[in-house]
Amino acid sequence: MTVQPVRLFGDPVLRARADEVTTFDRELRQLVTDLTDTMHASGGIGMAGPQIGVGLRVFVYDTGDAAGHLVNPSYEVLGAEEQTGPEGCLSIPGLRYDVTRALRVRARGLDSAGAAVEFEAEGLLARCVQHETDHLDGLLYLDRLNAATRKEAMRAVRESEWFTTGKTVMPAAEVAATKAAAAERSS
């Protein structure tokens, strides 16, 4: 297992647009493995390169129904239907807010060997594709909240233990524990 520390809100790598992948080699395959292992250890369903400090356009996902990775991803919205639901982020542990996203998308990209990948996604997988692609563009789900909710979210970030202690990197197990504690508090 190659679990990596998770970069947290405040780390500049999360706000920079990730670079296109141009070399499909053992290092890229290792990045996909590291992302997958870290995502699972953190209790997430998706993770992008910048979240472990790697500014490359790669993300992994595992929604329970579908798992894989995309290199140099893009997506197109299919139809006008939207979904609004709770969304969280391993880089902003312990917080969840309702976010509106497209209900269906067509995702395109490459796999770690450079072969073309394309699939249609709906519901949770569509949300995941959009969320992780945002990461690669330097956007966080907080950026998609309305002004009042974003203000509330930023206050919660500033009051969080990890933020007040100045952490910008957290071990995956600690991210998972923070996420579990927050879920327990909200139930």
Side-chain angles (χ1 to χ4, degrees):
M1 190 185 288
T2 52
V3 175
Q4 301 295 317
V6 177
R7 302 299 176 103
L8 302 178
F9 180 89
D11 190 312
V13 72
L14 296 174
R15 290 305 197 166
R17 185 180 192 285
D19 294 330
E20 298 288 324
V21 172
T22 58
T23 305
F24 294 80
D25 59 6
R26 189 172 64 77
E27 287 183 31
L28 178 61
R29 289 187 298 280
Q30 184 62 53
L31 173 59
V32 170
T33 299
D34 291 353
L35 284 166
T36 302
D37 291 347
T38 305
M39 172 187 64
H40 287 142
S42 302
I45 64 166
M47 180 163 269
Q51 291 182 274
I52 61 169
V54 179
L56 291 175
R57 296 187 73 76
V58 179
F59 75 75
V60 299
Y61 58 92
D62 185 347
T63 64
D65 293 326
H69 67 276
L70 277 178
V71 177
N72 299 335
S74 65
Y75 67 86
E76 114 187 57
V77 172
L78 300 175
E81 287 181 278
E82 294 181 327
Q83 59 177 320
T84 299
E87 202 164 306
C89 181
L90 297 173
S91 292
I92 309 170
L95 302 178
R96 294 177 66 81
Y97 292 92
D98 282 350
V99 178
T100 300
R101 300 219 184 240
L103 178 64
R104 295 181 54 238
V105 299
R106 177 175 294 115
R108 291 186 178 93
L110 305 168
D111 67 15
S112 61
V117 175
E118 181 176 324
F119 59 90
E120 289 188 13
E122 185 171 330
L124 183 59
L125 181 55
R127 177 177 295 282
C128 186
V129 166
Q130 293 167 83
H131 178 109
E132 300 309 329
T133 302
D134 275 355
H135 269 300
L136 302 177
D137 292 332
L139 297 171
L140 299 171
Y141 84 98
L142 300 178
D143 300 325
R144 300 218 176 259
L145 302 175
N146 66 48
T149 305
R150 186 168 197 281
K151 184 176 180 178
E152 173 190 327
M154 292 307 297
R155 182 177 34 72
V157 166
R158 286 190 303 275
E159 293 172 356
S160 70
E161 181 182 336
W162 55 267
F163 190 79
T164 57
T165 58
K167 287 186 180 180
T168 58
V169 179
M170 184 182 284
E174 196 174 331
V175 170
T178 302
K179 181 179 171 187
E184 194 172 290
R185 280 191 307 270
S186 66
S187 59

